[in-house]
Amino acid sequence: MSSTEIDLHQQLKKYFGFSQFKGLQEQVIKSIVNKHNTFVIMPTGGGKSLCYQLPALIEEGTAIVVSPLIALMKNQVDAIRGISSEYGIAHVLNSSLNKSEIKQVKEDITNGVTKLLYVAPESLTKEENVEFLRGVKISFMAVDEAHCISEWGHDFRPEYRNLRHIIKRIGDNIPIIGLTATATPKVQEDILKNLGITDAKTFKASFNRPNLYYEIRPKTKNVDADIIRFVKQNDGKSGIIYCLSRKRVEELAQALQVNGIKAVPYHAGLDAKTRIKHQDMFIMEDIDVVVATIAFGMGIDKPDVRFVIHHDIPKSLESYYQETGRAGRDGGEGHCLAYYAYKDIEKLEKFMSGKPVAEQEIGHALLQEVVGYAETSMSRRKFLLHYFGEHFDEKTGEGASMDDNVQNPKKKHEAKDEVVLLLKTVKETKQ
Ligand code: ADP
Ligand code: MG
């Protein structure tokens, strides 16, 4: 073991109390400490924050962390203060601060007290902030949730597009670290290009979740009854059921309740108090099932969710991966069941029809991948991982047997029908 390795382990223990690095963390940190531009792709929960927090705490100067959400920043800053307030401070610079708070933050940066400065992209664009940051020592710049830079990502934010330009103005030789949980090659390419770091050392963790079982069922009129049956067969287990519309969420939650299942609805149309109550009931296991729109799930870390059901197919495979990924966080069983009808794809296409053409084209391409996944007769895990640019060996790969297509291979003639169907749908949507 080299001296730097021993050193990093000590630092990890000292600042965070962990005795082991998770996955690729150590290699990433070495790359950052060695001043390389660095690109980190790890699934949610992979431990991306520590990749920049630890080097920020050891290095001279202040690390700037760009993050899209004020709530996320607050969480991280509180967490960092909780573990290592005696060593250095994390600060936020965004629109939630008043004038005197901003002054205090700037003083702490100038005095070298602030090791981590979290900024929203719109704050970073402000001329007075750029001017200020030009004059202080910056260790590196981390761009968290870097997929926000890409129109192909699930959360495009135009402000992210200016980052490269602003970083250059703050300092020419500042190493840039991009981090994301979105693994599609297109988004990755966009990130590297837009951040101007095509030379970055790239670290990509596997996106395979071997304990998740993937299943697609045709969506018929009996979908509600089918879901109720499934939930009853999984009595007492925690699960999430995603629906596209609020109305559907309410209806299905009621249908479950009527059938003696402990379920609550969750969507953005409910008031904040009810939403928090329902979320807590789920975490505390007063109820078993949350029927929800995609408003539910961000930041919810319930390790023993045993099933995720999609009543409606999601609009991209990224969304599908994120949402199904909430099952089996503890490594235990996680059944991911989605109901699919081509009609639902058409519905999603229709939703987009008011949007700008470029957006529609992207949305359409993403939907076609969903169609491919839902209609395929090959290993779903292989399809999904291929979409994320990852090779998966369907014979020997971890979790290879964990999907409906592998468990019940379709007969040849059925598979042929499917090809015809696929061609037909592609033709139809091209019109
Ligand atoms: P991501 O941003 O990749 O979704 P986070 O940075 O939020 O993931 O980390 C997920 C969880 O993993 C956090 O609870 C964090 O404390 C934990 N974690 C990170 N690194 C380690 C480690 N080396 N050992 C143990 N737990 C870790
Ligand atoms: Mg993160």
Side-chain angles (χ1 to χ4, degrees), residues 18 20-22 25 43-50:
F18 298 140
Q20 294 286 326
F21 284 105
K22 225 167 137 176
Q25 279 176 340
T44 306
K48 288 185 286 298
S49 326
L50 194 137

Side-chain angles (χ1 to χ4, degrees), residues 48-49 76 144-145:
K48 288 185 286 298
S49 326
Q76 289 223 354
D144 206 354
E145 314 289 345

Side-chain angles (χ1 to χ4, degrees), residues 37 133-134 138 164-176 195-197:
N37 289 329
L133 291 169
R134 277 167 71 90
I138 304 299
R164 170 67 192 162
H165 175 68
I166 293 162
I167 295 170
K168 268 206 108 109
R169 286 197 54 212
I170 293 172
D172 233 356
N173 291 316
I174 300 176
I176 300 173
L195 284 178
I197 54 168

Side-chain angles (χ1 to χ4, degrees), residues 304-330:
D304 58 348
V305 174
R306 297 277 79 101
F307 59 87
V308 169
I309 298 177
H310 281 95
H311 174 277
D312 304 290
I313 205 86
K315 65 183 193 317
S316 73
L317 286 182
E318 277 99 317
S319 306
Y320 174 79
Y321 180 84
Q322 287 295 338
E323 285 148 23
T324 54
R326 293 178 183 132
R329 286 250 168 93
D330 57 4

Side-chain angles (χ1 to χ4, degrees), residues 21-29 32 38-52 144-147 177-184 188 191 202-209 321-322 390:
F21 284 105
K22 225 167 137 176
L24 300 166
Q25 279 176 340
E26 188 174 7
Q27 285 125 284
V28 172
I29 291 167
I32 297 176
T38 306
F39 187 29
V40 182
I41 309 140
M42 281 181 192
T44 306
K48 288 185 286 298
S49 326
L50 194 137
C51 290
Y52 55 78
D144 206 354
E145 314 289 345
H147 55 270
I177 327 303
L179 306 101
T180 183
T182 304
T184 58
Q188 286 169 30
I191 293 172
T202 297
F203 299 89
K204 182 165 185 245
S206 171
F207 277 63
N208 188 15
R209 295 282 309 273
Y321 180 84
Q322 287 295 338
E390 195 172 326

